[in-house]
Every structure is written in C-alpha cells, then in structure tokens.
C-alpha cells in the first residue's frame, strides 16, 4: 500500500492541466466515490494495526495534495495566466479606445489633398531660418516691423538667425533650387512673438502656396482659390477679394469666404458681416523672383498663405485657439476623420 500511495503522490505532483476538463477528470480519478482515495480508505481496514498510523497519515497527505493541486490549477486556468490554457474568451468586448487624429492635422491633410488634386506638390523646409530666406529674399524693407524683436523670435544676431515667421521661407528655398514651372504648397509650424490668447498663439501652423510659370495671372490666382474654398467649405461657398499689402506680393489681397456657420446671414463668428477672412495672397513681386534667380521678365507667379488654426476654428466652430495645444482627450476625441 505504501508504494502505491507514493506512486500516486508522484503522479499528483507531476500532473498538469491545460483545460478545465482534464482537471475535472483528475478530480474524479482521485476523489469521486469510486476514486482512488476512497478506495485507499476502504483498504485501510485491512492494514496491520502497527502500520495504521503511518498509512493514515500518508493517505491524508495524498488527499490534501490532490485538493491543493485542484485549487491551484483551477486558479491558474481561470485567470488565463497559462498561455496554453485555451480558455481565452474571444467574445469579450474590446474596451481599448482608438486614438484619433489631431484636428489641425485633419484640416492640414485636407488642404494638402485639395491642392494635390490640381497638381501642387508638397515642400518642407527648416523651422530655424536665416534672415535671407525669411525676410530679405521676400522683399522685406530694412525697417519692416516683422524684423523687430517684438514680432520675431531671434536666436542669434549678426548674422540674424530666427524661428521662421511664415513658411514663405520654404518657397524661397524651392525657387532657389528649381526653375519654373513651380507649383508647390508648404505646410508647417511657424513662430511669432505674440501674447497667447483665444485668438493668437506664439506657435501656429500655416499652409502657403506658390505657382510660378509663364503667363500666370491674377485670374489664375482667383480661380485656384475659389476652387479651394468650395472644396473645403462646400459648394455653396462664395469668395471675395479685398486689397491688402505684403512686401512679397504686388498686387496683394486678402480673401474672405461667406460664413459657413450662418451661410452669410450674419452671426457672431463673422461679426454679423457674413464674411470671414481666411488667407492672404497676391502676385509674386518681381524682386522676389530676381532674388531667387528667376527671370522676372519671362515668368510671373502667384502666392497665398493661410493659418491652419483659423481655418480649423471656422470649420469646427471652435472659439478658443488654446484648445489645440492643451491635448485634452475630451476635446481631441471628438474629431474622427479619414484625413
Ligand atoms: N506669408 C504671409 C503671412 O505669413 C501670407 C502670404 C503668403 C500672403 C503669400 C501673401 C502671399 O501672413
């Protein structure tokens, strides 16, 4: 009897279960009415009285180890900690939340997509720029306020190195390295020394565009931007151009779109005018072409630039620009898009 029990003890020790069913078979084998342990207790009657104490203890040890084994294996199988357990419940609902794109990325991608459809390529350039690419090549007069510390984050003086104040600097780089025809947009982050408020930030995003070729006219500029506004804000959108001034374009204009919130009837977003300004534009000043070694007698071009924050605010009716930078999930999770 002793050797039998010792064999059983070994068997219990080595037993492994990968399914609840095999654990149940194990329980039946040892503990059920017709199982091995009740059989041992039945045999116990025939044990010589001198051996009874030892045999009794051995049978109890076996019983305990079977019970312990069952409890520990069951725990393991229930928690699924055994990777081979096969008890993974594939029908459980997934509660991990999906990330979503930042609203500024959604709108930037949409703008890129609209211009890509009419042949514009995307170009990028450095955020830290020298004076030539950010100002001089763009025909900024020596005493222009943008060259002042108040508007620009300078990193070094003489020679001037600054954080770019617009992505027009990228277009200078494109014109320097490519001869026309040029048709490109430059999305990117820009920096201006402004107090942070609901309507302004010292870091924001732009998409600027440039088209240089023979016979490019103001009519081409208007048609391109008209197409863009309708694609972005909807077929019903109207546009209007107001004269403006930029050092690098002549003539220059600002483009308004009919307010997409009130449809032009007047609301607090458009300040009851029915119109909202979305971008600056104009015909590239011949001085700019010459600075970039492009023959201004042969070629003409148009350029435009817009702030992504402003357009996103209009599109989604967001009234505080600071929300874009706070990364509050409650805000960000509202934006789902294929862009
Ligand atoms: N660079 C101008 C800005 O940052 C925008 C602009 C680009 C205006 C091209 C006209 C033409 O405000």
């Amino acid at each position: 009897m002793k050797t039998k029990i010792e064999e059983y003890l070994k068997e219990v020790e080595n037993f492994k279960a990968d399914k609840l069913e095999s654990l149940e078979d194990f329980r039946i084998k040892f503990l059920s009415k017709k199982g091995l342990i009740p059989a041992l207790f039945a045999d116990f009657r025939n044990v010589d009285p001198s051996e009874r104490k030892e045999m009794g203890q051995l049978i109890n040890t076996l019983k305990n180890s079977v019970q312990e084994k069952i409890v520990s294996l069951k725990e393991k199988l229930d928690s699924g900690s055994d990777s081979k357990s096969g008890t993974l419940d594939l029908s459980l609902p997934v509660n991990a939340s999906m990330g979503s794109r930042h609203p500024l990325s959604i709108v930037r991608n949409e703008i890129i997509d609209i211009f890509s459809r009419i042949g514009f390529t995307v170009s990028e350039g450095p955020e830290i720029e020298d004076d030539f690419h950010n100002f001089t090549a763009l025909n900024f007069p020596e005493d222009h306020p943008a060259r002042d510390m108040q508007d620009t984050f300078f990193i070094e003086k003489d020679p001037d190195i600054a954080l770019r104040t617009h992505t027009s600097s990228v277009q200078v780089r494109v014109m320097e390295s490519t001869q026309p025809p040029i048709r490109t947009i430059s999305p990117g982050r820009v920096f201006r020394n402004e107090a942070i408020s609901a309507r302004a930030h010292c870091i924001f995003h732009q998409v600027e565009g440039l088209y240089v070729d023979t016979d490019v006219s103001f009519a081409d500029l208007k048609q391109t931007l008209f197409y863009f506004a309708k694609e972005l804000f909807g077929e019903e959108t109207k546009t209007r151009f107001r004269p403006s001034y930029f050092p690098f374009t002549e003539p220059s204009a600002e483009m308004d779109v009919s307010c997409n919130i009130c449809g032009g009837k007047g609301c607090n977003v458009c300040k009851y005018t029915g119109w909202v300004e979305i971008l600056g534009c104009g015909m590239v000043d011949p001085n700019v072409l010459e600075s970039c070694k492009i023959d201004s007698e042969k070629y003409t071009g148009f350029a435009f630039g817009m702030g992504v924050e402003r357009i996103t605010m209009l599109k989604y009716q967001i009234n505080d620009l600071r929300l874009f930078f706070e990364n509050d999930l409650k805000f960000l999770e509202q934006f789902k898009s294929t862009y």
Side-chain angles (χ1 to χ4, degrees):
M1 185 180 218
K2 192 174 169 184
T3 40
K4 217 184 201 176
I5 297 175
E6 278 167 351
E7 258 170 39
Y8 290 161
L9 274 168
K10 259 200 206 113
E11 187 183 335
V12 172
E13 199 186 323
N14 294 332
F15 177 73
K16 287 194 183 73
D18 57 358
K19 293 206 256 340
L20 282 170
E21 288 91 303
S22 37
L23 188 61
E24 176 63 2
D25 290 345
F26 175 78
R27 188 192 67 78
I28 292 168
K29 180 175 177 188
F30 283 95
L31 296 176
S32 68
K33 265 194 192 150
K34 290 185 182 158
L36 297 171
I37 291 176
L40 286 172
F41 278 119
D43 264 353
F44 189 67
R45 267 179 265 129
N46 310 326
V47 172
D48 192 280
S50 64
E51 288 177 355
R52 279 205 172 164
K53 197 173 167 207
E54 191 192 359
M55 290 306 135
Q57 276 171 353
L58 268 176
I59 299 174
N60 275 325
T61 311
L62 176 66
K63 191 179 170 189
N64 288 340
S65 66
V66 170
Q67 280 167 343
E68 269 164 30
K69 190 83 183 187
I70 290 174
V71 171
S72 80
L73 283 177
K74 193 163 184 327
E75 229 169 55
K76 214 165 158 189
L77 288 173
D78 281 348
S79 73
S81 63
D82 185 344
S83 59
K84 287 190 229 119
S85 67
T87 57
L88 199 61
D89 186 354
L90 296 175
S91 66
L92 281 175
V94 179
N95 60 4
S97 62
M98 288 279 281
S100 55
R101 241 184 248 291
H102 193 282
L104 293 178
S105 302
I106 295 173
V107 171
R108 180 205 53 203
N109 292 350
E110 197 174 347
I111 296 171
I112 292 175
D113 203 55
I114 292 170
F115 283 107
S116 303
R117 292 205 287 272
I118 51 170
F120 281 77
T121 57
V122 173
S123 43
E124 288 183 327
E127 292 182 344
I128 298 174
E129 265 299 4
D130 52 36
D131 175 274
F132 178 77
H133 292 94
N134 199 73
F135 297 125
T136 306
L138 289 160
N139 203 33
F140 275 81
E142 210 45 66
D143 55 357
H144 193 282
R147 290 184 181 244
D148 193 81
M149 295 284 275
Q150 234 124 53
D151 287 319
T152 304
F153 289 114
F154 284 95
I155 293 173
E156 271 172 41
K157 275 278 180 197
D158 289 327
D160 287 351
I161 305 288
L163 295 178
R164 68 181 177 197
T165 58
H166 49 185
T167 58
S168 303
S169 55
V170 180
Q171 305 182 342
V172 172
R173 287 180 179 276
V174 172
M175 286 191 281
E176 274 177 328
S177 59
T178 332
Q179 279 299 307
I182 295 170
R183 212 175 337 176
T184 190
I185 49 171
S186 35
R189 215 158 45 143
V190 299
F191 309 84
R192 285 184 203 173
N193 194 357
E194 296 209 26
I196 296 169
S197 70
R199 300 178 61 85
H201 207 288
C202 55
I203 302 176
F204 58 100
H205 299 78
Q206 281 191 326
V207 177
E208 295 216 357
L210 174 74
Y211 180 25
V212 184
D213 203 347
T214 49
D215 301 321
V216 176
S217 70
F218 203 90
D220 297 323
L221 163 68
K222 285 179 85 172
Q223 274 308 315
T224 305
L225 295 179
F226 185 45
Y227 151 80
F228 163 70
K230 290 217 289 192
E231 289 292 301
L232 190 68
F233 291 110
E235 196 51 38
E236 303 302 309
T237 311
K238 295 186 192 65
T239 51
R240 73 174 185 188
F241 289 77
R242 285 176 292 101
S244 185
Y245 170 78
F246 300 101
F248 32 89
T249 47
E250 181 60 34
S252 304
E254 276 171 340
M255 186 177 88
D256 297 342
V257 291
S258 50
C259 179
N260 69 320
I261 290 165
C262 62
K265 287 190 201 75
C267 67
N268 60 356
V269 171
C270 61
K271 302 209 189 74
Y272 301 94
T273 62
W275 296 96
V276 280
E277 184 227 312
I278 63 159
L279 55 81
C281 58
M283 301 305 292
V284 182
D285 193 301
N287 287 345
V288 174
L289 296 175
E290 292 298 332
S291 298
C292 301
K293 314 248 165 1
I294 290 176
D295 185 351
S296 65
E297 297 288 327
K298 190 167 165 200
Y299 296 109
T300 49
F302 68 72
F304 56 88
M306 64 192 93
V308 181
E309 277 77 359
R310 188 175 167 71
I311 292 185
T312 310
M313 287 169 85
L314 280 174
K315 224 177 133 70
Y316 291 109
Q317 301 173 34
I318 296 163
N319 57 13
D320 192 330
L321 191 145
R322 288 169 292 199
L323 286 164
F324 294 131
F325 299 94
E326 282 165 4
N327 285 336
D328 180 346
L329 281 180
K330 281 203 230 79
F331 172 70
L332 297 176
E333 277 169 351
Q334 298 174 57
F335 300 93
K336 302 265 185 261
S337 165
T338 48
Y339 279 104

